[in-house]
């Protein structure tokens, strides 16, 4: 027994050795190292100036704030991916969880005087309960119907916020709750990065364990999951609660930083709900890594566009004034070019370039499934799933 | 009046062949399943003995699959009782039945198209636990590989189900069922579309499983290949029991011949 656990430990340590990692994970570790070193780099004499150039702002202070905000958005996207990317039950209203987390924490802090560190926990708890409230109906209502429920739920919450604006502040939100780590650029940056890494690690480990296989099996075929002796109900509710709690955690921490505040437009507007989906799908749905990368990209692209001081000749508008429009156009193009997500495309490209088939988790070299194969990527699987529901809606047979 | 006749029927059924919880590893008493006005299974009672291979035979539309969907929990029965290993399990959901040791294969193959043969089998070996370290290090795959080799897919571990020939799909169904470590295995239409040698090798595998202590119920609408395999058969038609007995008794039964219109028995 101890022999087995020793060999497990050795396996685990072997997997953590950065030199033994596959290329894509080396790139990921490098990217993370860059993010950790970023505040140090900007303070270096010469290098700093170059680093500021690539930041999504004109100064390093604002740059760190913008990256911190992007990290929070990436957490939102990862929380969406954990449930929708893996189980294929698309949530069109994930802002519900961010808002429940953020508002609960802000109200506990501002109204009842709890320390923000405590009130964040309250936000997580209530967001997890919101996860149950969406997850339990999800056992009976599926596919497009559930998507409608998730679409309407945040709209209802928003209306409650508006007609009870004496409590919730209406469209204006709740003002400024106390910050977790004050106003420091570097400290808030590291708060966001630390939370980002923690959430990423948790979701990465969970989705790479058997739990992840079971969740993607639910996306592919629920009957096959039951036939394997696995309770699909349990795993679905778990996915919703996990996603709700993590979305709530990110939302709650976000309102206690200088980069965010508890307002409907930041936490639960239709644009937020849609951007979260775009980020995860664009990065690579059902991978967590894709949601993290896509989240950073989607959050920072408008910041970069805002920096461009160029006026388009004919229409006489500056790039920065159309940043959101351009963002949507770029996204549309990317979604068309990489339907399986940029991450899957990148991995496939990398494998072709290095001539490797991806080690033990790869497919057979001949006739194997390539990651961007139509019909096997999560977007196509989800489409197929929805198609089934539509067919049934119009009286298709059960086979 | 109508209640009287129903009561009479019920009484005669129970006096004829009353099945109780201890009559076999699987015991089904007066199982009834209605879809709207259609009676798919009509007060069917039978028992399956440990370590036997039972043939469950009937023409197309006789209610075989519906019976097993009720037994495995896919549909709740309209009426009747199911006992498994002496415990009442009527209406228990499918994944619970699998955990209790009853596995099934599907007539319409239902593999996970998005993953390899090996990972399909590995899925059915997973514990029903939410948070686990298992799988992070890939240690599951040794046992799954052994099952794949057992069902004859050892050289196709990394192919996707779409790349398998028809017989391979059936083998994958068996592999996925075996992955759940069942005591009772329901095999739905295993021989449909198989060639002679393939029928033989699948039969050999099923016999081997039985010799290791597994109980098997093989559902089929034709008897080709089945009669050499099974110890005993139950024939149903229009949702109720038509005949029961050894393969020879079944083929000699005039009612069974009638049900098959004189064909399909060769």
């Amino acid at each position: 027994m101890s022999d087995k656990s020793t060999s497990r430990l050795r396996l685990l340590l072997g997997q953590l050795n950065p030199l033994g990692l596959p290329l894509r994970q080396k790139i990921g570790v490098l990217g993370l190292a860059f993010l950790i070193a970023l505040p140090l780099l900007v303070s270096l004499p010469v290098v700093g100036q170059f680093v500021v150039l690539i930041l999504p702002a004109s100064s390093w202070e604002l740059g760190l704030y913008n990256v911190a905000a992007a990290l929070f958005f990436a957490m939102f996207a990862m929380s969406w991916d954990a449930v929708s990317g893996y189980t294929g039950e698309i949530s069109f209203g994930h802002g519900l969880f961010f808002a429940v987390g953020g508002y609960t924490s802000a109200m506990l802090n501002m109204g009842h005087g709890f320390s923000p560190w405590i009130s964040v926990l309250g936000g997580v708890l209530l967001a997890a309960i919101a996860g149950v409230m969406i997850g339990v109906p999800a056992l009976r209502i599926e596919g497009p119907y559930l998507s409608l429920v998730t679409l309407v739920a945040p709209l209802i919450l928003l209306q409650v916020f508006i007609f009870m604006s004496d409590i919730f502040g209406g469209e204006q939100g709740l003002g400024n709750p106390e910050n977790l780590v004050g106003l420091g650029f570097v400290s808030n940056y590291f708060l966001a990065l630390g939370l980002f890494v923690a959430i990423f690690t948790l979701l990465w480990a969970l989705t790479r364990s058997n739990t992840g296989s079971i969740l993607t099996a639910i996306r592919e075929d629920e009957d096959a999951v039951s036939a394997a002796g696995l309770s699909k109900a349990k795993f679905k509710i778990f996915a919703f609660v996990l996603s709700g709690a993590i979305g709530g955690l990110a939302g709650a921490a976000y309102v206690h930083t200088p980069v965010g505040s508890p307002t409907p437009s930041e936490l639960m507007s239709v644009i937020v709900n849609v951007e979260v989906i775009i980020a995860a799908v664009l990065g690579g749905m059902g991978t967590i890594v894709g949601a993290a990368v896509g989240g950073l990209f989607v959050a920072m692209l408008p910041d970069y566009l805002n920096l461009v001081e160029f006026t388009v000749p004919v229409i006489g508008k500056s790039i920065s004034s159309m940043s959101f429009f351009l963002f949507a156009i770029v996204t549309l193009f990317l979604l068309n070019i990489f339907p399986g997500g940029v991450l899957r495309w990148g991995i496939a490209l990398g494998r072709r370039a290095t001539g490797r088939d991806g080690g033990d988790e790869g497919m057979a070299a001949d006739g194997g499934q390539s990651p961007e194969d139509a019909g096997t990527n999560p977007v196509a699987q989800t489409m197929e799933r929805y198609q089934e529901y539509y067919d049934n809606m119009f009286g298709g047979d059960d086979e | 009046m109508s209640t009287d006749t129903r009561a009479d029927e019920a009484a005669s059924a129970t006096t004829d062949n009353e099945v109780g919880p201890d009559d076999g590893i699987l015991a089904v008493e007066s199982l009834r399943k209605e879809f709207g006005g259609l009676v798919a299974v009509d007060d069917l009672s039978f028992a399956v003995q440990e370590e036997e291979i039972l043939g469950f035979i009937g023409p197309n539309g006789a209610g075989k699959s519906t019976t097993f969907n009720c037994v495995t929990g896919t549909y709740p029965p309209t009426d009747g009782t199911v006992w498994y290993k002496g415990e009442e399990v009527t209406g228990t959901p499918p994944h619970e039945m699998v955990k209790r040791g009853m596995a099934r294969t599907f007539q319409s193959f239902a593999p996970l198209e998005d993953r390899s043969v090996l990972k399909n089998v590995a899925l059915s070996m997973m514990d029903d636990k939410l948070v686990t370290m298992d799988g992070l290090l890939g240690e599951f795959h040794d046992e799954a590989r052994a099952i794949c080799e057992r069902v004859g897919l050892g050289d196709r571990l990394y192919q996707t189900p779409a790349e398998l020939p028809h017989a391979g799909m059936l083998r994958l169904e068996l592999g996925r069922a075996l992955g759940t470590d069942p005591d009772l295995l329901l095999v739905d239409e295993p021989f449909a579309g198989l060639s002679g040698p393939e029928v033989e090798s699948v039969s050999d595998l099923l016999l081997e499983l039985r010799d290791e202590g597994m109980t098997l119920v093989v559902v089929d609408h034709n008897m080709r290949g089945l009669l050499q395999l099974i110890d005993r058969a139950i024939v149903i038609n229009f949702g109720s029991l038509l005949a029961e007995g050894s393969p020879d008794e079944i083929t000699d039964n005039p009612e069974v011949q009638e049900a098959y219109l004189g064909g399909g028995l060769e």
Side-chain angles (χ1 to χ4, degrees):
Chain A
M1 197 228 121
S2 68
D3 199 32
K4 199 185 168 193
S5 57
T6 330
S7 72
R8 270 179 80 124
L9 191 66
R10 195 168 303 140
L11 254 171
L12 185 65
L13 289 177
Q15 296 220 333
L16 290 179
N17 172 15
L19 294 176
L21 291 177
L23 177 63
R24 60 183 194 278
Q25 290 176 8
K26 276 184 195 150
I27 294 173
V29 169
L30 276 178
L32 192 60
F34 175 73
L35 284 176
I36 293 171
L38 192 57
L40 181 72
L41 290 178
V42 291
S43 61
L44 291 178
V46 183
V47 186
Q49 289 174 354
F50 284 102
V51 174
V52 171
L53 278 181
I54 61 163
L55 283 179
S58 45
S59 69
W60 69 267
E61 292 93 342
L62 279 178
L64 286 187
Y65 265 9
N66 283 346
V67 177
L71 285 167
F72 276 110
F73 185 76
M75 296 178 226
F76 293 165
M78 285 192 285
S79 80
W80 181 89
D81 200 33
V83 63
S84 296
Y86 276 83
T87 68
E89 295 289 5
I90 303 298
S91 161
F92 281 108
H94 236 57
L96 179 77
F97 301 125
F98 317 147
V100 169
Y103 271 76
T104 306
S105 186
M107 288 167 76
L108 285 176
N109 172 239
M110 297 164 81
H112 301 275
F114 286 99
S115 135
W117 294 97
I118 307 283
S119 68
V120 164
L121 294 181
V124 173
L125 189 69
L126 224 62
I129 293 172
V132 177
M133 286 171 66
I134 300 289
V136 170
L139 302 179
R140 296 205 153 267
I141 332 168
E142 296 177 319
Y145 305 101
L146 182 71
S147 291
L148 276 177
V149 171
T150 61
L151 191 63
V152 171
L155 297 181
I156 294 173
L157 190 64
L158 179 61
Q159 293 310 308
V160 173
F161 284 2
I162 288 172
F163 81 74
M164 294 175 79
S165 55
D166 49 331
I167 302 174
F168 297 104
E171 300 268 17
Q172 300 302 314
L174 285 175
N176 286 310
E178 206 180 311
N179 288 334
L180 282 163
V181 289
L183 289 167
F185 298 104
V186 176
S187 55
N188 275 293
Y189 174 79
F190 275 121
L191 173 73
L193 185 60
L195 203 57
F196 170 85
V197 172
I199 287 175
F200 175 81
T201 309
L202 173 71
L203 291 180
W204 192 87
L206 208 57
T207 52
R208 266 63 179 177
S209 74
N210 285 349
T211 310
S213 297
I214 294 168
L215 293 179
T216 53
I218 289 177
R219 182 177 71 203
E220 171 68 22
D221 187 342
E222 295 192 5
D223 291 336
V225 175
S226 299
L230 304 164
S231 166
K232 60 184 184 192
K234 190 168 86 178
F235 281 92
K236 261 191 184 177
I237 293 180
F238 171 70
F240 271 100
V241 173
L242 175 78
S243 175
I246 286 177
L249 172 63
Y254 176 71
V255 303
H256 292 291
T257 65
V259 300
S261 51
T263 61
S265 64
E266 282 177 65
L267 291 173
M268 59 184 301
S269 69
V270 174
I271 288 183
V272 171
N273 293 338
V274 170
E275 278 184 340
V276 165
I277 301 175
I278 290 175
V281 173
L282 188 62
M285 186 176 160
T287 58
I288 300 298
V289 182
V293 175
L296 291 174
F297 173 80
V298 165
M300 291 196 294
L301 180 61
D303 293 337
Y304 282 116
L305 290 173
N306 279 334
L307 289 178
V308 180
E309 288 167 19
F310 174 75
T311 307
V312 182
V314 181
I315 51 175
K317 301 278 179 198
S318 67
I319 293 281
S320 54
S321 70
M322 325 188 279
S323 61
F324 192 80
F325 166 76
L326 290 172
F327 157 78
I329 298 285
V330 169
T331 307
L332 204 59
F333 264 109
L334 291 177
L335 284 173
N336 267 296
I337 304 169
F338 313 118
V342 174
L343 188 74
R344 283 188 175 76
W345 173 81
I347 290 173
L349 191 75
R351 283 188 185 158
R352 269 202 295 277
T354 56
R356 286 163 43 150
D357 65 357
D360 73 326
E361 66 175 82
M363 303 297 162
D366 60 329
Q369 169 202 36
S370 68
E372 80 255 74
D373 250 1
T376 48
N377 79 54
V379 180
Q381 276 177 317
T382 307
M383 292 292 282
E384 204 176 291
R385 217 179 131 84
Y386 275 47
Q387 186 64 46
E388 227 170 87
Y389 290 112
Y390 284 121
D391 289 347
N392 289 339
M393 214 185 285
F394 298 114
D397 62 10
D398 286 346
E399 291 298 308
Chain B
M1 184 211 130
S2 64
T3 45
D4 279 356
T5 44
R6 281 214 47 184
D8 285 349
E9 269 174 26
S12 70
T14 42
T15 48
D16 276 350
N17 47 359
E18 194 175 345
V19 174
D22 300 320
D23 283 346
I25 182 168
L26 172 68
V28 175
E29 163 70 15
S30 306
L31 185 75
R32 188 175 181 84
K33 180 65 189 175
E34 297 169 10
F35 295 104
L38 178 86
V39 181
V41 182
D42 190 1
D43 293 331
L44 183 66
S45 302
F46 64 92
V48 183
Q49 303 310 317
E50 235 166 285
E51 295 187 34
E52 74 170 338
I53 302 185
L54 176 75
F56 198 78
I57 306 167
N60 278 326
K64 305 180 298 288
S65 292
T66 308
T67 305
F68 280 106
N69 282 334
C70 289
V71 168
T72 56
T74 309
Y75 306 143
T78 311
D79 206 357
T81 316
V82 181
W83 290 279
Y84 181 60
K85 294 180 180 169
E87 289 172 48
E88 197 194 320
V89 293
T90 321
T92 305
H95 72 271
E96 283 295 331
M97 291 306 295
V98 174
K99 276 201 242 177
R100 284 165 184 262
M102 183 192 285
R104 69 174 297 181
T105 67
F106 286 88
Q107 186 185 341
S108 52
F109 304 125
L112 295 157
E113 301 283 355
D114 65 341
R115 59 197 76 192
S116 64
V117 164
L118 185 63
K119 287 190 175 178
N120 260 282
V121 174
L123 181 79
S124 56
M125 306 181 72
M126 291 176 184
D127 292 333
D128 193 16
K129 281 193 306 194
L130 292 177
V131 179
T132 168
M133 282 285 287
D134 287 337
L136 268 181
L137 311 175
E139 63 217 295
F140 236 101
H141 288 174
D142 286 340
E143 292 164 63
R145 190 171 284 125
I147 288 182
C148 289
E149 276 160 14
R150 172 122 214 226
V151 298
L153 289 172
D155 51 349
R156 294 176 178 273
L157 293 175
Y158 299 106
Q159 295 187 357
T160 59
E163 295 171 89
L164 296 180
H166 181 85
M169 293 285 269
L170 172 79
R171 290 172 185 278
L172 178 56
E173 279 293 305
L174 285 170
R176 295 196 314 136
L178 292 181
T180 65
D181 193 18
D183 302 311
L184 174 76
L185 178 59
L186 303 171
V187 193
D188 203 351
E189 304 254 351
F191 303 129
L194 294 196
S195 69
E198 285 166 349
V199 169
E200 217 165 280
S201 89
V202 170
S203 294
D204 287 346
L205 174 63
L206 297 180
L207 285 168
E208 214 179 283
L209 292 170
R210 191 269 300 274
D211 291 342
E212 287 167 19
M214 203 179 287
T215 309
L216 292 132
V217 178
V218 183
V219 181
D220 220 319
H221 70 272
N222 71 47
M223 303 189 192
R224 184 179 70 100
L226 198 60
L227 294 173
Q228 291 80 31
L229 174 66
I230 57 180
D231 306 313
R232 195 165 67 89
I234 286 174
V235 184
I236 67 166
N237 199 13
F238 302 118
S240 46
L241 191 69
L242 190 69
E244 187 173 357
S246 70
D248 287 342
E249 287 167 1
I250 294 297
T251 42
D252 294 340
N253 187 315
E255 283 184 76
V256 174
Q257 290 169 353
E258 175 81 10
Y260 279 89
L261 294 169
L265 283 182
E266 281 78 34

